[in-house]
Amino acid sequence: MSITEYLDKNADFVDDFLDRHLNEPAAPSRLIEAMRYGVLKGGKKIRASLLFATGEAFSITLENLLPLAAAIEMIHSFSLVHDDLPSIDNDDFRRGKPSLHRAYNEGMGVLAGDALLVDGLRLIVTDQNFTGRFGLEKGWEIVGILLEALGSAGMVGGQVFDIENEGRQASWDEVRRIYRMKTAGFIQAPILCAAVAGGCSPGEKEVLSRFGLFLGECFQMVDDLLDISQPSKRLGKTAGKDLVQQKATLVRLFGTDRTREFLDKTYREALSVVSALDRPLDNLLAIAAFIVERNH
Ligand code: GRG
């Protein structure tokens, strides 16, 4: 199976799960409709695949990780929905269709995003199979990993630095801090969650933590390169916005050639770090290669 077939198959599993579970009879039907619009049948669902592929390295079946994968994709979709809001990045398109606040309205963009975050976390905490299979201790550790990646020293803080640095000539250290906090932490998180669920040793956790962060930096570097090189149609979102908004990116700081050099170097560092792990990593490494080579 090719890596794109693997990713598509995993995305279908997550979508089927969400289709069955994203129905809350007590909730307003329009809210549920908007949440489903925000998460179902869209995006690469690469964070779910990172969870599954790391799970494979620790012999955890996809079925056992499915609710966690779905929750992670709900939380990721929340971050995109809020990122697109007029008061943040103000984007009208996402995943090849109008962004959620455009399809509904701005208030619903805020609230459906809130509900995707909270119900995503609730799905993890209330899933009997998950806590039954992995135990409460690992469950809490996993929730802690996700919250750390999302909070003020993670994605939210990174987004604030991102906004604060618009129009500024940020240094490489400042750009790297934005990449790590805004993006890399939530690429690293599913890798760590699966490793913890699989009972990794402290040494293995350290290796995967460093690998995940390098891979997350690569992810954002590629995202920035694609922003200036690919048409909106292929990206499914408005292309060329980073330069218009004068975002603090490596591309703006150093140009595309040096950004590609940084990307190559960071990818090599990621591969070198993870080579210390004596686990079946085929699909995880294939996803890493996909992240670096992707065109959307
Ligand atoms: C975490 C409470 C909390 C708030 C979030 C809005 C915000 C604050 C953060 C924005 C984070 C953000 C949008 C980072 C960019 C990361 C990125 C490059 C996302 C694109 O991910 P893909 O390519 O998207 O995996 P698909 O559509 O494939 O899922």
Side-chain angles (χ1 to χ4, degrees):
M1 192 189 310
S2 73
I3 186 59
T4 48
E5 286 167 342
Y6 175 80
L7 293 172
D8 289 347
K9 177 182 69 81
N10 289 342
D12 286 346
F13 276 124
V14 173
D15 270 336
D16 286 349
F17 180 92
L18 284 169
D19 193 24
R20 278 181 278 119
H21 288 83
L22 230 170
N23 292 300
E24 177 60 74
S29 56
R30 195 156 167 79
L31 174 62
I32 297 296
E33 186 192 302
M35 291 164 73
R36 294 171 68 91
Y37 182 90
V39 67
L40 278 175
K41 306 211 183 307
K44 300 175 283 297
K45 305 233 162 27
I46 210 154
R47 291 156 191 80
S49 276
L50 286 167
L51 182 86
F52 295 142
T54 311
E56 288 162 23
F58 290 85
S59 307
I60 313 177
T61 61
L62 180 142
E63 285 72 23
N64 275 319
L65 288 171
L66 196 47
L68 180 58
I72 286 173
E73 288 296 338
M74 286 172 73
I75 296 167
H76 164 61
S77 294
F78 137 76
S79 77
L80 300 183
V81 168
H82 276 199
D83 190 51
D84 290 339
L85 287 170
S87 54
I88 303 200
D89 257 11
N90 192 20
D91 212 314
D92 289 347
F93 293 99
R94 174 68 69 179
R95 296 175 169 169
K97 59 186 187 182
S99 43
L100 195 147
H101 70 274
R102 277 278 164 203
Y104 291 81
N105 57 50
E106 191 176 341
M108 189 58 93
V110 173
L111 294 167
D114 291 342
L116 281 168
L117 170 64
V118 176
D119 284 3
L121 290 168
R122 191 179 63 151
L123 177 58
I124 301 172
V125 175
T126 57
D127 167 42
Q128 294 300 319
N129 283 339
F130 185 75
T131 44
R133 171 83 170 81
F134 300 112
L136 272 183
E137 204 175 312
K138 283 180 185 168
W140 276 118
E141 190 173 350
I142 286 165
V143 172
I145 288 168
L146 294 173
L147 295 181
E148 195 179 329
L150 293 170
S152 54
M155 193 191 281
V156 183
Q159 184 71 3
V160 171
F161 281 137
D162 185 77
I163 292 167
E164 282 180 354
N165 278 288
E166 275 178 22
R168 267 192 77 235
Q169 194 63 21
S171 68
W172 165 221
D173 280 347
E174 288 169 322
V175 173
R176 183 169 226 172
R177 182 173 61 173
I178 294 171
Y179 285 8
R180 285 194 170 164
M181 291 170 68
K182 184 179 82 160
T183 306
F186 211 60
I187 292 287
Q188 179 195 49
I191 296 173
L192 284 182
C193 288
V196 166
C200 65
S201 70
E204 287 176 321
K205 191 175 172 189
E206 174 62 23
V207 165
L208 285 168
S209 172
R210 293 181 61 212
F211 168 73
L213 209 57
F214 282 135
L215 188 61
E217 286 179 20
C218 291
F219 190 94
Q220 188 59 54
M221 287 180 206
V222 173
D223 205 75
D224 295 348
L225 284 165
L226 293 177
D227 182 73
I228 59 151
S229 64
Q230 299 296 328
S232 301
K233 202 167 175 349
R234 173 163 296 144
L235 297 180
K237 61 182 180 180
T238 315
K241 279 192 77 199
D242 289 349
L243 289 180
V244 173
Q245 292 181 327
Q246 301 192 7
K247 287 276 185 195
T249 71
L250 214 51
V251 174
R252 190 158 153 258
L253 193 59
F254 293 129
T256 50
D257 289 349
R258 281 198 68 197
T259 300
R260 283 207 181 86
E261 284 170 22
F262 273 106
L263 172 62
D264 283 349
K265 181 170 172 287
T266 312
Y267 181 48
R268 270 187 272 115
E269 279 169 330
L271 295 182
S272 155
V273 163
V274 85
S275 67
L277 220 60
D278 187 18
R279 296 266 178 189
L281 298 171
D282 304 22
N283 283 326
L284 189 59
L285 293 178
I287 299 173
F290 171 86
I291 283 176
V292 172
E293 289 156 17
R294 71 200 167 102
N295 65 5
H296 64 288

